[in-house]
């Protein structure tokens, strides 16, 4: 699935150069299913149950892609993306690519996601093969099919 060349699986700034996916969704069973699917592939998963927790994790550790539920406690996925874009206005490449999950793919939601440069919007319930494909496309497009190194540390 994730056919990428990569350096050793540890080391680099922050102590981890593995592909790290943030799973922001308030459903623990979903987190467990996705984690069991990704971790054998060498992908690290980090879980958040709210938008606020997702933001804190993105700002505190290297995250290479954020999978965000549109409907979460405190902040929804689009609100998280909007705040990340504001925080990283000067250096947009520091904000991880985002995959948004939503029950209702309305034209308004899709337009908002497009305007905020969301990488992909997936319909819930999410077919795990579709999610894997989206993650593989993120790796190809944003990381040139190589395991990314950690993001530069904040000043």
């Amino acid at each position: 699935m994730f056919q990428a060349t990569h350096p050793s699986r540890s080391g680099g700034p922050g102590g981890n150069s593995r592909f790290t996916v943030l799973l922001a969704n308030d459903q623990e069973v979903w987190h467990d299913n996705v984690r069991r699917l990704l971790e054998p592939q060498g992908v690290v998963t980090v879980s958040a149950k709210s938008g606020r927790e997702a933001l804190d994790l993105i700002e505190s550790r290297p995250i290479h892609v954020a999978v965000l539920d549109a409907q979460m406690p405190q902040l929804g996925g689009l609100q998280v993306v909007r705040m990340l874009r504001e925080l990283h206005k000067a250096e947009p490449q520091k904000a991880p690519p985002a995959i948004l999950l939503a029950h209702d793919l309305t034209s308004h939601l899709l337009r908002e996601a497009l305007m905020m440069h969301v990488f992909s919007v997936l319909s819930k319930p999410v077919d795990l093969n579709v999610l894997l494909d989206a993650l593989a496309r993120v790796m190809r497009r944003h990381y040139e099919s190589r395991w990314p190194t950690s993001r530069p540390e904040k000043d």
Side-chain angles (χ1 to χ4, degrees), residues 57-75:
L57 285 168
I58 291 168
E59 290 303 307
S60 68
R61 62 181 298 157
I63 300 292
H64 300 106
V65 62
V67 180
L68 306 164
D69 193 329
Q71 298 291 318
M72 287 187 287
Q74 298 171 342
L75 298 170

Side-chain angles (χ1 to χ4, degrees), residues 99-111:
I99 296 172
L100 187 69
L101 312 177
H103 278 290
D104 298 316
L105 301 182
T106 65
S107 59
H108 175 74
L109 174 85
L110 295 172
R111 196 170 29 257

Side-chain angles (χ1 to χ4, degrees), residues 25-74:
N25 184 310
D26 61 356
Q27 297 176 6
E28 190 61 39
V29 172
W30 184 82
H31 288 249
D32 292 340
N33 288 338
V34 175
R35 182 178 297 113
R36 281 196 307 272
L37 187 65
L38 294 178
E39 288 187 351
Q41 312 255 354
V43 176
V44 175
T45 60
V46 179
S47 295
K49 292 183 181 172
S50 71
R52 177 66 53 203
E53 187 179 353
L55 272 175
D56 291 344
L57 285 168
I58 291 168
E59 290 303 307
S60 68
R61 62 181 298 157
I63 300 292
H64 300 106
V65 62
V67 180
L68 306 164
D69 193 329
Q71 298 291 318
M72 287 187 287
Q74 298 171 342

